[in-house]
Amino acid sequence: MANYDQNRMQSDATISRGNAAIDEGLRSYMLSVYNYMAGGLALTGVVAYLAFQFAVVQSADGSLALTQAGAALYQSPLKWVVMLAPLGMVFYLSARISSMSVSAAQISFWIFAGLMGLSLSSVFLIYTGASITQTFFVTAIAFGGLSLYGYTTKRDLTAFGSFLIMGVIGLLVASVVNIFMQSSAMQFVISVLGVLIFAGLTAYDTQRIKEMYYVGDAAATAAKKAIMGALSLYLDFINMFMFLLQFLGNRR
């Protein structure tokens, strides 16, 4: 009996140490995800602001005028390259991540974040800097709460996430249709649904990224998972921010 009790205590201690190792590894993995995401957002913001500064000049009366660089960036066919380049990088990174080295995946992620900043620089032409800053902090607070829910909830969000992904497809179709219809009412509905869908995806993606963690992963595999997780949360944040900006942003 004494030997049985001793063996059971040793087994319980081993399980406890294993659980502690998993918890520590998971915390480190999720911290890496959020660090990549935060770094990507910071790079996007810096590139967007610098691109805007190069693209416009401010006259004495406070109005903005495009420089030659701004005209090329926002009015020439180059604007389509700038708009579509981040999407191309998302597809490239998603398709090639498994065969990339960690350093190549990191570089690709930073290139994507920079291109996204170039693409989003036009928001400074439309909205005031103060309202952009305000909307960013509102988005950050909402994102933090939703991501925390996704991380801590015991509820399986898989079915919920599948529904939301179908919602994203519906948003894309509706947005394309509204390019031709130019309906303000339809744009309002799209914006409301966009905020709700990407808010839900924030919680879903956080849970999915958490479940991707495996204690036996090699360091390179864990790093690549962290980069792809950061990419997913980055896109959720940016999309929620852009839809919220349509409500909270003050136009110039």
Side-chain angles (χ1 to χ4, degrees):
M1 178 64 72
N3 288 336
Y4 172 78
D5 290 340
Q6 183 177 7
N7 289 338
R8 187 177 65 179
M9 290 174 62
Q10 289 175 343
S11 177
D12 290 344
T14 300
I15 293 173
S16 178
R17 285 194 297 270
N19 289 338
I22 291 173
D23 289 343
E24 183 61 34
L26 179 59
R27 282 194 293 270
S28 177
Y29 163 74
M30 292 302 295
L31 182 61
S32 181
V33 171
Y34 288 121
N35 283 341
Y36 275 122
M37 178 199 160
L41 288 173
L43 178 59
T44 296
V46 170
V47 171
Y49 182 75
L50 292 178
F52 170 73
Q53 292 298 313
F54 279 110
V56 302
V57 290
Q58 189 169 12
S59 60
D61 62 358
S63 61
L64 301 178
L66 292 178
T67 62
Q68 283 188 326
L73 185 61
Y74 303 130
Q75 294 181 339
S76 75
L78 179 62
K79 69 180 181 181
W80 297 107
V81 177
V82 173
M83 289 172 58
L84 296 175
L87 182 61
M89 283 301 301
V90 169
F91 287 129
Y92 173 77
L93 191 55
S94 300
R96 298 293 302 275
I97 186 72
S98 60
S99 61
M100 285 180 173
S101 65
V102 174
S103 60
Q106 290 171 333
I107 291 171
S108 297
F109 178 78
W110 301 129
I111 290 174
F112 160 77
L115 289 173
M116 184 63 84
L118 198 60
S119 177
L120 294 179
S121 62
S122 59
V123 299
F124 287 98
L125 290 172
I126 303 171
Y127 301 99
T128 64
S131 65
I132 291 173
T133 303
Q134 178 186 17
T135 304
F136 176 85
F137 282 110
V138 170
T139 306
I141 293 170
F143 177 90
L146 291 161
S147 189
L148 179 62
Y149 170 77
Y151 184 83
T152 57
T153 185
K154 302 300 183 183
R155 180 181 179 184
D156 185 0
L157 301 178
T158 302
F160 186 54
S162 301
F163 175 77
L164 291 171
I165 291 170
M166 289 190 292
V168 172
I169 296 173
L171 274 182
L172 290 173
V173 173
S175 297
V176 171
V177 170
N178 203 41
I179 291 175
F180 302 99
M181 293 181 58
Q182 294 294 308
S183 169
S184 58
M186 187 172 182
Q187 184 58 48
F188 177 81
V189 172
I190 290 172
S191 298
V192 171
L193 291 176
V195 171
L196 296 176
I197 287 172
F198 283 101
L201 279 173
T202 297
Y204 163 73
D205 281 333
T206 300
Q207 185 181 80
R208 178 179 58 83
I209 292 163
K210 177 184 176 183
E211 292 174 351
M212 284 169 55
Y213 173 75
Y214 174 59
V215 70
D217 277 338
T221 301
K224 291 178 185 180
K225 284 184 178 181
I227 291 170
M228 290 306 297
L231 178 63
S232 295
L233 293 181
Y234 173 100
L235 291 172
D236 292 337
F237 186 101
I238 288 293
N239 280 287
M240 188 159 54
F241 166 76
M242 292 301 296
F243 283 117
L244 278 173
L245 194 58
Q246 297 183 39
F247 294 109
L248 304 178
N250 295 322
R251 292 180 176 269
R252 291 185 181 274

